[in-house]
Amino acid sequence: MLININGKPEEVEIKLNLVELILAKGLSVERVVIEHNLRIVPKEEWIDTRLQENDKVEIVSFVGGG
Amino acid sequence: MLININGKPEEVEIKLNLVELILAKGLSVERVVIEHNLRIVPKEEWIDTRLQENDKVEIVSFVGGG
Amino acid sequence: MLININGKPEEVEIKLNLVELILAKGLSVERVVIEHNLRIVPKEEWIDTRLQENDKVEIVSFVGGG
Amino acid sequence: MLININGKPEEVEIKLNLVELILAKGLSVERVVIEHNLRIVPKEEWIDTRLQENDKVEIVSFVGGG
Amino acid sequence: MEDFLEIAGKKIGNRLFIGTGKFSSYAIMKRALEVAKAEVATVALRRVDASLKAENIMDYIPQECKVMINTSGARDADEAVRIARLAKAGQAGNWIKIEVIRDNKYLLPDNIETLKAVEVLAKEGFVVFPYMSPDLSIARRMADAGASAIMPLGSPIGSNRGIKTREFIEIMVNEINLPIIVDAGLGKPSEACECMEIGCAAVLVNTAIAVSEDPVKMAKAFSQAVYAGRLAYLSGIPTAGKFASASSPLTGFLREDKPQGDGLASDSQSHKKS
Amino acid sequence: MEDFLEIAGKKIGNRLFIGTGKFSSYAIMKRALEVAKAEVATVALRRVDASLKAENIMDYIPQECKVMINTSGARDADEAVRIARLAKAGQAGNWIKIEVIRDNKYLLPDNIETLKAVEVLAKEGFVVFPYMSPDLSIARRMADAGASAIMPLGSPIGSNRGIKTREFIEIMVNEINLPIIVDAGLGKPSEACECMEIGCAAVLVNTAIAVSEDPVKMAKAFSQAVYAGRLAYLSGIPTAGKFASASSPLTGFLREDKPQGDGLASDSQSHKKS
Amino acid sequence: MEDFLEIAGKKIGNRLFIGTGKFSSYAIMKRALEVAKAEVATVALRRVDASLKAENIMDYIPQECKVMINTSGARDADEAVRIARLAKAGQAGNWIKIEVIRDNKYLLPDNIETLKAVEVLAKEGFVVFPYMSPDLSIARRMADAGASAIMPLGSPIGSNRGIKTREFIEIMVNEINLPIIVDAGLGKPSEACECMEIGCAAVLVNTAIAVSEDPVKMAKAFSQAVYAGRLAYLSGIPTAGKFASASSPLTGFLREDKPQGDGLASDSQSHKKS
Amino acid sequence: MEDFLEIAGKKIGNRLFIGTGKFSSYAIMKRALEVAKAEVATVALRRVDASLKAENIMDYIPQECKVMINTSGARDADEAVRIARLAKAGQAGNWIKIEVIRDNKYLLPDNIETLKAVEVLAKEGFVVFPYMSPDLSIARRMADAGASAIMPLGSPIGSNRGIKTREFIEIMVNEINLPIIVDAGLGKPSEACECMEIGCAAVLVNTAIAVSEDPVKMAKAFSQAVYAGRLAYLSGIPTAGKFASASSPLTGFLREDKPQGDGLASDSQSHKKS
């Protein structure tokens, strides 16, 4: 299933939920924020949020900046 | 008849036209521009433009400025 | 006897020594330095230094300065 | 005969006078000034001024400067 | 030398624009414009005041001098537009310096209302010169909206403080493809000259000329200085260096060679830090 | 306008003095002097170098331009005196810029040796122009010793850094009863203009003209700027203020009166600090 | 001394805000924040990059240090709003530095889009700090729109050029009833100190600390300088004068009286211009 | 951090030297010295005035604070030498700031007489600190004559005008192998900080502290600022650049890719000059 993550197309397993997505990418659940189809998803909803073909996902985190 | 000239109420003769107004005020027709009730009046229409009670008239001219 | 103290003529008792001069002027022996006829006089010599007519004495001390 | 010209030793003919020196060096008489053994030599004396062994000669002229 | 600033088809040779306010008389103002050979002069528009002098300022502007009406007094875009239209009706042409000010103390322009006025007036065919606080981003929008030139301020109007916005004016000169004309605050010819050296297309000066002891001479001084700065810009200004660089030759010195260790080099060496 | 700088009986109209070093050719230098209408030019003296061009620089100095020989290369008073005497013997006249430098990096003058040379040369009848680090106390001694003018530096020779000594040059202008001529470091016409505005009698420029891309045009630019600065000085420069001061009239605005509490005044009030 | 800057209920003692970008490691950044005793630090938000270090910057911000998220990367108001909301969802709190930039070369902010973002975010309850080009008129609108402080730039981000906008920042300090925090361009502690002396409420520094040879020591230097400037502002800074004013007493000099006409007074007199 | 300025065997940690003139009382002066933790303070010497306060200033100088006597009032080298010898006889130690002034208006030092006094006093074993107009050449002679440090002025005494001689002080810092201590004219902590950033060894401040509204707080402010400037100097100050340099990362932006020709790059392109 093809979805768009951080501006790039990516092939993922069908019906992946957001927690699974983060773990699959080797990221830490604690330090990222997810926007799913332009809607920010609260962490408690991640497990119930399943991805669909062509979904747009943004995964962001904090970095040094001035 | 009371009209408003340059922001101040002023008593003028009834049915005065704009040329008469300018001359009555001792001004030079050549160097002023008239706005009558927020509409700029071309000089050729002045003679046919008669003032009504409560009209607003702006008479402006050029001065030194930076 | 007339001597010159700090640039001004002043009448003092004959044969005054420097300690007596300082005390007579109500000054503190500890905080002043004396130059007698252009020679700086060490404190231990004050008592033996007697003034003569027309001597020049400078009595200086420290003050705030930048 | 060895003389010193402008800080450098130079071999010249014996009893050369200053006019001859300048011409020998391909210089223009008009545009140079000569100091001979630290004395400035007026142009009219050049022809009578004969160089001796070890003389010091400075030949200078004007150049652009700020 | 052919060097013109061309705006809306007019070729302008003299890059000193002069404001006509504050002169002690129109006659002196006229003389200043003439002596400076000004080609652009700003004029304001006001309600007539019957008690004031009957002279018409337009009679004192030399023929060859283009008039630019400012919208001084306007506190928002609507008022500026209204003034511009009245000026045009008054045969003053369509060159408008847009000046929208809500601040009474520093007379700093309102960039947002100014931009709105640019949008309206440029569409109506006016040749618009927005007077603004230096701001690259809004200047770009002014350009997109149809401004014919940008007039950033050097310092507050009439303050004579010079070009306190230099860094940002330089950026505008480099980035905006319109003439940059420094307006307001220039107090001395050297400051006007400096504006031209950094590549401004022109400067507008009023107070420093009008209130000097000899306005006619001062107008000439500014005019010469602006020309000098323009010439320098066109001549290629060498950059400044940290160290000195001799202007006279470094060889051929008339001096006795001194034994080593005794001369200048070692001397100064001994004072250098290790 | 009659405005001359008079030194040793010579009336000088153009207050830009030009140094002749570093030009790519004497022909270009000549053209620069001509176009700038220079009335004083500095020249150096060096040991002849047979390998160099046979041209005589004196042939390239316009007739009406006074030559001033500098003592560049001198490291002490004796060497400066020697150069001055040679220059005079070479028919270069008796105007001497005394330049004594022991510092190779910043080319800063040695005020004490310079003062000694002034004492000797003034007595011998030379018209001496000491080049010096700005120092009021030593400038006073230069005056007492017979200097005809004082030439403080603006910044290191050839650095093009401008007038970094401004405060002290202003003090010298106010306190010394001799012409103050800023020499060295001026990199742009605006800086030369500024020197004149603060009351300097003249400036001497070399590097900034000679090494620009177009030395002839740049010479003209400096000349115009110096003239502009002088004019401004004579016209009475208004002082700078902290606040703005409108250049257009503050009455007669074309605007509707707004109900109180709704207008600008209260608006801006609400942002002012209590 | 009790001297706090209070914003949105938080009392801030240290008026040096530190940006966390460009440090060679988070460990060094942490040490700099600690040594400077920073109480506010800015942080950015970016798409995760799996290839990068797994460290969480938030673990390196000291507990007592308030985090302010910047919207760097935003090119318009919508993007800034989006970043602010994501930051809040990421538990980074609601302090947002609004930074909207469309200019890649000078990184100058877009004041108009920034103002739009202020309007939206202030209504949503964010504590907003707009980063802007100094402009009094737009700063007033920022205040009306609910900004908690105004962050005018000193010079372009990371340029280390100092406070090139000084005149306009002083005007903002005087006219806007919000804390003025100079952000961007400060390259040296003396410049940060100067900002505080003219009455700014705080400064934000990043590049000058992060890229110095010893960022920890430099953070301390800036912190001390900001404190010094604040103290000076509170102590009443004497104004500068034109002339000298002796710091040692002017009486009681130890000197022989000299006959008139021979002393200093007449000496210096003789050099004064008539 | 171990960072001492060592002069004549004394290790000085606090590089702010404080002058004791002009304070409203010795008690306030003492408090200022204490709060600033001053380690060097200057004091003057005058003829006693029986009518004045009987307090001894020496009782108000903290124990750990080294006293340096200035020769204020001296108009030539002889008078300065006389004052120095009297000070020594008065148990004030042998640290002498040589100050020789003949100019009453700007209080500018006489470098030549000062140099003579340095020669005499250094031979007599005094630790001498000549106060001078910035002049590299004479400073070198001061060093050769045995000065322990050089004290160039920033601007006229008590003028609070700051460091108007910056270029020349930087040159002295680079070229003279002695501590350079800026004395006179510093009006604000930021200026003292700047002196330290360019490598000065210390600064001496009097008027700006003594005449501020709160001298004790101001003394602390200067002390902190001097320390900050020294820290910055030791940390390696990054140089200023012409352009901006982002402090937040330039990758990982949260934004939709826009079709080419529509984005920022081309936008800004369209405004760039061809």
Side-chain angles (χ1 to χ4, degrees):
Chain A
M1 179 178 83
L2 199 70
I3 65 170
N4 187 303
I5 303 180
N6 286 352
K8 287 179 193 153
E10 212 164 302
E11 191 68 35
V12 297
E13 276 180 55
I14 246 167
K15 296 212 177 169
L16 206 66
N17 71 32
L18 292 179
V19 172
E20 290 161 348
L21 174 71
I22 293 306
L23 296 178
K25 293 191 76 72
L27 297 168
S28 145
V29 168
E30 282 72 35
R31 49 178 298 228
V32 303
V33 185
I34 301 180
E35 195 192 71
H36 176 226
N37 294 336
L38 293 178
R39 174 182 167 266
I40 297 169
V41 187
K43 241 161 227 173
E44 55 274 20
E45 299 181 17
W46 286 9
I47 202 146
D48 297 325
T49 304
R50 299 201 171 274
L51 295 168
Q52 313 274 339
E53 183 87 33
N54 293 326
D55 274 5
K56 284 193 174 181
V57 177
E58 292 285 346
I59 312 171
V60 300
S61 67
F62 298 108
V63 297
Chain B
M1 179 180 84
L2 199 69
I3 64 170
N4 187 302
I5 303 179
N6 286 353
K8 287 178 193 153
E10 212 165 303
E11 191 68 34
V12 298
E13 275 180 55
I14 245 168
K15 296 216 176 168
L16 206 65
N17 70 33
L18 291 180
V19 171
E20 289 161 347
L21 174 71
I22 293 306
L23 296 178
K25 293 190 76 73
L27 296 169
S28 145
V29 169
E30 283 72 35
R31 50 178 297 228
V32 303
V33 186
I34 301 181
E35 195 193 71
H36 176 227
N37 293 335
L38 292 178
R39 175 181 165 269
I40 297 168
V41 187
K43 242 161 225 169
E44 55 273 21
E45 300 180 17
W46 286 9
I47 203 146
D48 297 324
T49 304
R50 300 203 168 273
L51 294 169
Q52 312 275 339
E53 182 89 35
N54 293 325
D55 273 4
K56 285 193 174 179
V57 177
E58 292 286 346
I59 311 171
V60 300
S61 67
F62 298 107
V63 298
Chain C
M1 180 178 83
L2 199 70
I3 64 170
N4 187 304
I5 302 180
N6 286 353
K8 286 178 193 152
E10 211 165 304
E11 192 67 35
V12 298
E13 276 180 56
I14 244 168
K15 296 214 176 170
L16 206 66
N17 71 31
L18 292 180
V19 171
E20 290 161 347
L21 174 72
I22 293 306
L23 297 178
K25 294 190 74 73
L27 295 169
S28 146
V29 169
E30 283 74 34
R31 49 177 298 229
V32 303
V33 185
I34 301 180
E35 195 192 69
H36 175 226
N37 294 336
L38 291 178
R39 173 181 167 268
I40 297 169
V41 188
K43 243 162 225 171
E44 54 274 21
E45 300 179 18
W46 287 10
I47 203 146
D48 297 325
T49 305
R50 298 201 171 275
L51 295 169
Q52 312 274 340
E53 182 87 32
N54 293 325
D55 273 4
K56 284 195 174 179
V57 177
E58 292 285 346
I59 313 172
V60 300
S61 67
F62 298 108
V63 297
Chain D
M1 178 178 83
L2 199 69
I3 64 170
N4 186 302
I5 302 179
N6 286 353
K8 286 178 192 153
E10 213 164 302
E11 192 67 35
V12 298
E13 275 180 56
I14 245 168
K15 297 212 176 170
L16 206 63
N17 71 32
L18 291 181
V19 172
E20 289 162 348
L21 174 71
I22 293 306
L23 296 178
K25 294 190 76 73
L27 296 168
S28 145
V29 168
E30 283 73 35
R31 51 178 297 229
V32 304
V33 186
I34 301 181
E35 195 193 70
H36 176 226
N37 293 336
L38 293 178
R39 174 183 166 267
I40 296 169
V41 188
K43 242 162 225 169
E44 54 274 22
E45 300 179 18
W46 286 9
I47 202 147
D48 297 324
T49 305
R50 299 203 169 273
L51 295 169
Q52 312 275 338
E53 182 89 32
N54 293 327
D55 273 4
K56 283 192 175 180
V57 177
E58 292 285 346
I59 313 170
V60 300
S61 67
F62 298 107
V63 297
Chain E
M1 185 185 55
E2 287 282 342
D3 170 49
F4 291 109
L5 167 63
E6 190 168 338
I7 297 180
K10 180 174 168 65
K11 286 186 171 184
I12 302 165
N14 185 343
R15 292 159 182 272
L16 172 66
F17 296 6
I18 297 183
T20 61
K22 287 184 173 176
F23 283 88
S24 54
S25 77
Y26 284 165
I28 286 176
M29 176 205 83
K30 185 187 184 194
R31 190 84 193 104
L33 292 174
E34 285 169 352
V35 166
K37 297 198 176 68
E39 298 178 30
V40 179
T42 57
V43 166
L45 182 143
R46 289 287 181 280
R47 282 169 169 171
V48 294
D49 181 344
S51 67
L52 286 188
K53 55 191 165 196
E55 302 160 296
N56 185 352
I57 188 170
M58 294 306 192
D59 298 339
Y60 292 82
I61 310 276
Q63 281 292 345
E64 56 283 6
C65 192
K66 179 85 184 173
V67 166
M68 181 193 293
I69 305 297
N70 72 37
T71 65
S72 60
R75 291 165 303 176
D76 58 29
D78 287 348
E79 292 184 0
V81 167
R82 188 181 179 193
I83 293 169
R85 289 172 182 161
L86 282 165
K88 196 173 178 184
Q91 316 296 332
N94 65 346
W95 283 34
I96 299 289
K97 169 179 156 186
I98 303 180
E99 182 181 334
V100 181
I101 292 176
R102 285 162 50 87
D103 160 55
N104 287 323
K105 194 156 153 201
Y106 298 99
L107 300 176
L108 294 172
D110 183 325
N111 282 359
I112 289 180
E113 290 295 318
T114 301
L115 174 57
K116 284 184 200 162
V118 170
E119 283 161 357
V120 172
L121 291 173
K123 271 189 200 128
E124 294 187 11
F126 284 91
V127 177
V128 291
F129 298 77
Y131 167 64
M132 67 180 292
S133 280
D135 181 322
L136 179 59
S137 170
I138 293 185
R140 282 212 173 99
R141 291 170 198 243
M142 300 276 193
D144 288 341
S148 292
I150 304 289
M151 300 185 94
L153 60 92
S155 51
I157 295 177
S159 71
N160 290 333
R161 308 194 77 194
I163 176 170
K164 295 300 186 183
T165 52
R166 182 183 157 130
E167 322 290 307
F168 299 90
I169 293 204
E170 279 192 273
I171 290 173
M172 290 169 76
V173 166
N174 291 333
E175 299 296 313
I176 303 284
N177 196 17
L178 282 179
I180 303 297
I181 302 171
V182 174
D183 178 10
L186 301 180
K188 291 178 290 190
S190 57
E191 295 160 359
C193 187
E194 184 185 355
C195 290
M196 300 309 297
E197 287 168 351
I198 63 177
C200 292
V203 301
L204 169 50
V205 178
N206 187 341
T207 300
I209 291 172
V211 309
S212 87
E213 289 168 27
D214 186 339
V216 176
K217 202 180 278 174
M218 190 59 99
K220 188 173 180 192
F222 267 97
S223 180
Q224 297 283 327
V226 165
Y227 179 54
R230 179 67 186 173
L231 271 182
Y233 173 73
L234 296 173
S235 305
I237 299 173
T239 51
K242 186 83 185 165
F243 298 117
S245 156
S247 52
S248 301
L250 287 172
T251 55
F253 292 129
L254 175 73
R255 52 171 69 155
E256 311 311 313
D257 283 331
K258 303 201 172 157
Q260 253 200 333
D262 200 37
L264 167 66
S266 56
D267 237 45
S268 72
Q269 209 78 330
S270 73
H271 294 302
K272 272 179 202 151
K273 292 199 174 153
S274 53
Chain F
M1 185 185 57
E2 287 282 342
D3 170 50
F4 291 110
L5 168 62
E6 191 168 336
I7 296 181
K10 180 174 167 66
K11 286 186 171 184
I12 302 164
N14 185 342
R15 291 159 183 272
L16 171 67
F17 296 6
I18 297 184
T20 61
K22 287 185 175 175
F23 283 88
S24 55
S25 77
Y26 284 164
I28 285 176
M29 176 205 82
K30 185 187 185 196
R31 191 84 194 102
L33 293 174
E34 285 169 352
V35 166
K37 298 198 175 68
E39 298 178 30
V40 179
T42 57
V43 165
L45 182 143
R46 289 286 182 280
R47 283 169 169 170
V48 293
D49 182 344
S51 67
L52 287 189
K53 55 190 164 196
E55 302 159 297
N56 184 353
I57 187 171
M58 295 305 193
D59 298 339
Y60 291 83
I61 310 277
Q63 281 293 346
E64 56 283 5
C65 192
K66 179 84 184 172
V67 165
M68 182 194 293
I69 304 298
N70 71 37
T71 66
S72 61
R75 292 163 303 175
D76 57 29
D78 288 348
E79 291 184 359
V81 167
R82 188 182 180 192
I83 292 169
R85 290 172 181 159
L86 282 165
K88 196 174 177 183
Q91 315 297 332
N94 65 346
W95 283 34
I96 299 289
K97 170 180 156 185
I98 303 181
E99 182 180 334
V100 181
I101 291 176
R102 286 162 47 88
D103 160 54
N104 287 323
K105 195 155 151 202
Y106 298 99
L107 300 176
L108 294 173
D110 183 325
N111 281 0
I112 288 180
E113 290 295 318
T114 301
L115 175 58
K116 286 184 199 161
V118 169
E119 283 162 356
V120 173
L121 292 173
K123 273 191 199 126
E124 294 188 10
F126 284 90
V127 177
V128 292
F129 298 78
Y131 167 64
M132 67 179 292
S133 280
D135 180 322
L136 179 60
S137 170
I138 294 186
R140 283 212 173 98
R141 292 170 197 243
M142 301 276 192
D144 288 340
S148 292
I150 304 288
M151 300 184 95
L153 60 92
S155 51
I157 295 177
S159 72
N160 290 334
R161 308 193 77 194
I163 175 170
K164 294 300 187 184
T165 52
R166 181 183 158 131
E167 322 291 308
F168 298 91
I169 294 207
E170 279 191 274
I171 290 174
M172 290 169 77
V173 165
N174 291 333
E175 299 296 313
I176 303 285
N177 196 15
L178 283 180
I180 304 297
I181 302 171
V182 175
D183 178 11
L186 300 181
K188 291 178 291 189
S190 58
E191 295 160 359
C193 187
E194 185 184 354
C195 290
M196 301 309 296
E197 287 168 351
I198 64 177
C200 291
V203 301
L204 169 50
V205 178
N206 187 341
T207 300
I209 291 172
V211 310
S212 87
E213 289 168 28
D214 186 338
V216 176
K217 201 179 279 175
M218 189 60 98
K220 188 173 182 192
F222 268 98
S223 181
Q224 297 283 328
V226 165
Y227 179 53
R230 179 67 186 174
L231 272 183
Y233 173 73
L234 296 173
S235 306
I237 299 173
T239 52
K242 187 82 185 166
F243 298 117
S245 156
S247 53
S248 301
L250 287 172
T251 54
F253 293 129
L254 175 73
R255 51 171 70 155
E256 310 311 313
D257 284 330
K258 301 194 175 163
Q260 253 201 333
D262 200 37
L264 166 66
S266 56
D267 236 46
S268 72
Q269 209 78 332
S270 73
H271 295 302
K272 271 177 202 152
K273 290 198 176 157
S274 53
Chain G
M1 184 185 57
E2 287 283 341
D3 170 49
F4 291 109
L5 167 62
E6 190 168 337
I7 295 180
K10 180 173 167 67
K11 286 185 171 185
I12 302 165
N14 185 341
R15 290 159 183 273
L16 171 67
F17 296 5
I18 296 183
T20 61
K22 287 185 174 175
F23 282 89
S24 54
S25 77
Y26 284 165
I28 285 176
M29 175 205 84
K30 185 188 185 194
R31 191 82 194 104
L33 293 174
E34 285 169 352
V35 165
K37 297 199 176 68
E39 298 179 30
V40 179
T42 57
V43 165
L45 182 143
R46 289 288 181 281
R47 284 169 170 171
V48 294
D49 181 344
S51 67
L52 286 189
K53 57 190 163 195
E55 303 160 296
N56 185 353
I57 188 171
M58 294 305 193
D59 297 339
Y60 291 82
I61 311 276
Q63 281 292 345
E64 57 282 6
C65 192
K66 179 83 183 174
V67 166
M68 180 195 292
I69 304 298
N70 71 38
T71 66
S72 60
R75 293 165 302 177
D76 58 27
D78 288 348
E79 291 184 0
V81 167
R82 187 182 181 192
I83 292 169
R85 289 171 182 161
L86 281 164
K88 196 175 180 184
Q91 316 296 332
N94 64 347
W95 283 33
I96 299 289
K97 170 179 155 186
I98 302 180
E99 182 180 333
V100 181
I101 292 176
R102 285 163 49 88
D103 160 55
N104 288 323
K105 194 154 152 202
Y106 298 98
L107 300 176
L108 294 173
D110 182 325
N111 281 0
I112 289 180
E113 290 294 317
T114 302
L115 174 58
K116 285 185 200 162
V118 169
E119 283 162 356
V120 172
L121 291 172
K123 271 188 200 129
E124 294 187 10
F126 283 91
V127 177
V128 291
F129 297 77
Y131 167 63
M132 67 180 291
S133 280
D135 181 321
L136 179 59
S137 170
I138 294 185
R140 283 211 173 100
R141 292 170 197 241
M142 301 276 194
D144 288 342
S148 292
I150 304 289
M151 301 184 94
L153 59 91
S155 51
I157 295 177
S159 72
N160 290 332
R161 308 194 77 193
I163 175 171
K164 295 299 186 184
T165 52
R166 182 184 157 130
E167 323 290 309
F168 299 89
I169 293 201
E170 278 191 274
I171 290 174
M172 291 169 76
V173 166
N174 291 333
E175 298 297 312
I176 303 284
N177 196 16
L178 282 180
I180 304 297
I181 302 171
V182 174
D183 178 11
L186 300 180
K188 290 178 290 189
S190 57
E191 296 160 358
C193 187
E194 185 184 356
C195 290
M196 301 308 296
E197 287 168 351
I198 62 176
C200 291
V203 300
L204 169 50
V205 178
N206 186 341
T207 300
I209 292 172
V211 310
S212 87
E213 289 168 27
D214 186 339
V216 176
K217 201 179 277 175
M218 189 59 98
K220 189 173 181 192
F222 267 98
S223 180
Q224 297 283 329
V226 165
Y227 178 54
R230 179 67 186 173
L231 271 182
Y233 173 73
L234 296 173
S235 305
I237 299 173
T239 51
K242 187 82 185 167
F243 298 117
S245 157
S247 53
S248 301
L250 286 172
T251 55
F253 292 129
L254 175 73
R255 51 171 71 154
E256 310 312 314
D257 283 331
K258 301 193 175 167
Q260 252 200 334
D262 199 38
L264 166 67
S266 57
D267 236 46
S268 71
Q269 209 78 330
S270 72
H271 294 303
K272 272 177 202 152
K273 292 198 172 155
S274 53
Chain H
M1 185 185 57
E2 287 283 343
D3 170 49
F4 291 109
L5 168 61
E6 190 168 337
I7 297 180
K10 179 173 167 67
K11 286 186 172 184
I12 302 164
N14 185 342
R15 291 159 183 273
L16 171 67
F17 297 4
I18 296 183
T20 61
K22 287 185 175 173
F23 283 88
S24 55
S25 77
Y26 284 166
I28 285 176
M29 176 206 83
K30 184 187 185 195
R31 190 83 194 104
L33 292 173
E34 286 170 352
V35 165
K37 297 197 176 70
E39 298 178 30
V40 179
T42 58
V43 165
L45 182 143
R46 288 287 182 281
R47 283 169 169 171
V48 294
D49 181 344
S51 68
L52 287 188
K53 56 190 163 196
E55 302 160 298
N56 184 352
I57 189 172
M58 294 305 193
D59 298 339
Y60 292 82
I61 311 277
Q63 282 292 344
E64 57 282 5
C65 192
K66 179 84 184 173
V67 166
M68 181 194 293
I69 304 297
N70 71 39
T71 66
S72 61
R75 292 164 303 176
D76 56 29
D78 287 348
E79 291 184 359
V81 167
R82 188 182 180 193
I83 293 169
R85 289 171 182 161
L86 281 165
K88 196 174 179 184
Q91 315 296 332
N94 65 348
W95 283 33
I96 299 289
K97 170 179 155 185
I98 303 180
E99 182 181 335
V100 181
I101 291 176
R102 286 162 49 88
D103 159 54
N104 288 323
K105 195 156 153 203
Y106 298 99
L107 300 177
L108 293 173
D110 183 325
N111 281 359
I112 289 180
E113 289 294 317
T114 302
L115 175 57
K116 286 184 199 161
V118 169
E119 283 162 357
V120 172
L121 291 173
K123 271 189 200 129
E124 294 187 10
F126 284 91
V127 177
V128 292
F129 298 77
Y131 167 63
M132 67 180 292
S133 281
D135 181 321
L136 179 59
S137 169
I138 294 186
R140 283 212 173 100
R141 292 169 197 242
M142 300 277 193
D144 288 341
S148 292
I150 305 289
M151 300 184 94
L153 60 91
S155 51
I157 295 178
S159 72
N160 290 333
R161 308 194 78 194
I163 176 171
K164 295 299 187 185
T165 52
R166 182 184 157 130
E167 321 290 309
F168 299 90
I169 294 206
E170 279 192 273
I171 290 174
M172 292 169 75
V173 165
N174 291 333
E175 299 297 312
I176 303 285
N177 196 15
L178 283 180
I180 304 297
I181 301 172
V182 175
D183 179 11
L186 300 181
K188 291 177 289 189
S190 57
E191 295 160 358
C193 187
E194 185 184 355
C195 291
M196 301 308 297
E197 287 168 351
I198 63 177
C200 292
V203 301
L204 169 50
V205 178
N206 186 342
T207 300
I209 292 172
V211 310
S212 87
E213 290 168 27
D214 186 339
V216 176
K217 201 180 277 176
M218 190 58 99
K220 189 174 180 192
F222 267 98
S223 180
Q224 297 283 328
V226 165
Y227 179 52
R230 178 68 185 173
L231 272 182
Y233 174 73
L234 296 173
S235 306
I237 299 174
T239 51
K242 187 82 185 166
F243 297 116
S245 156
S247 53
S248 301
L250 286 172
T251 54
F253 293 129
L254 175 73
R255 52 171 69 155
E256 310 311 314
D257 283 330
K258 300 194 175 164
Q260 254 201 333
D262 199 37
L264 167 67
S266 56
D267 236 45
S268 71
Q269 209 79 330
S270 72
H271 294 303
K272 271 178 204 152
K273 294 202 172 150
S274 52

